[in-house]
Amino acid sequence: MFRYTRPFLTTFSLTSSSKRFYSFKVFRDVAPLRTLRRELFFANRTVGLVPTMGALHAGHLSLIRKAAAENTDVFVSIFVNPTQFGVNEDLSSYPRTWDADVAKLEELNAELAAQRTNKEKKIKKGPIRAIFAPTADVMYPTLPPSSEIDGDGSFVSIAPLSKKLEGASRPVFFRGVATVCMKLFNIVHAERVYFGQKDVQQTVVIKRMVKDFHMETDVRIGPTMREADGLAMSSRNVYLGARRWAAGLVLFEALKAAENAYKAGKLSRDEILDAANAVTQEVLAKQNALSPAERALFEVDYISLADPDSLEELNVVDPTRGGILSGAIKMAPLGETNPGEECGLGDGKVPVRLIDNLILKPKK
């Protein structure tokens, strides 16, 4: 029988000259990961999987803590999935921060180990046991991954959910999400998988996929983690810089205004979304009035009021069911920058898509 007397130690490198020892095992291929998973299964241990694309932040770490609290072992995947990016989206610009990611996971593993050894509190939290960091060739073994809408390949499509909201603007996005998650779920066979509420449409798509394909895993959702000013945490926030960060708060503020209208008793679509649109229009007007060296322009892609299960747009909120407020804005590149200005990764030249949502809770 497999014995767990000490953390796994392994070396892993993205380059041949970079090697380190980790408190978890790092896998690039499927077969050895499955071997470990079988050993854990026969030892009556449970696995919680946290899928990520790297560039880890506090939101990811909160999901890992949740997985550790509910399972004996945690697997984290780090894979920038190419099929989530359309042909006009810059896959190469997505942040890749392996060393920083590993450092955060090591620090978290030390935190979890300290909690496990605290006998007075009797906290039982599983360690991060494995990191799955495959290449695209491993995840897409027969054909190169395609980002064309009608491209060849083996894909999972969850319609019509994947065609709404984000899917309307990014037509291959949820096909890529569902496909890579199906692959990860089949590889890991985790008892539980963990996603953040910030990507609310993703959570609905994944839940539907698990239900429709009779997949034996439990989808757990963690709350949206926010910065102190309310901005939803995202790996893409590193591109904002101070000026676009401040203007980007408009999305959260607009959704809060709509939420407040609902809490005040408004149930019609127009009354709720008018409150959000008033905020975005006011902020955009102020930005347009500034000089190119001062402003941060944005475009509202959508602000939605939808059913919590089907994501169909609502004309009237059923107070016994509530709804989902969500939105997306596109932060434009800075027109002009100033000497010494903090413009974020990419010097303010990378367009940034921000998404956010708030749940309208049912009223008793």
Side-chain angles (χ1 to χ4, degrees), residues 335-347:
E336 293 183 15
T337 60
N338 303 295
E341 181 179 6
E342 197 281 294
C343 297
L345 189 65
D347 295 325

Side-chain angles (χ1 to χ4, degrees), residues 73-85:
D73 299 270
V74 178
F75 286 22
V76 177
S77 66
I78 297 178
F79 176 62
V80 181
N81 178 32
T83 61
Q84 292 176 214
F85 295 80

Side-chain angles (χ1 to χ4, degrees), residues 165-187:
L165 305 177
E166 285 296 292
S169 299
R170 307 178 67 191
V172 301
F173 177 70
F174 287 112
R175 183 186 72 180
V177 168
T179 298
V180 77
C181 285
M182 177 73 83
K183 291 170 180 280
L184 290 170
F185 295 179
N186 284 336
I187 291 168

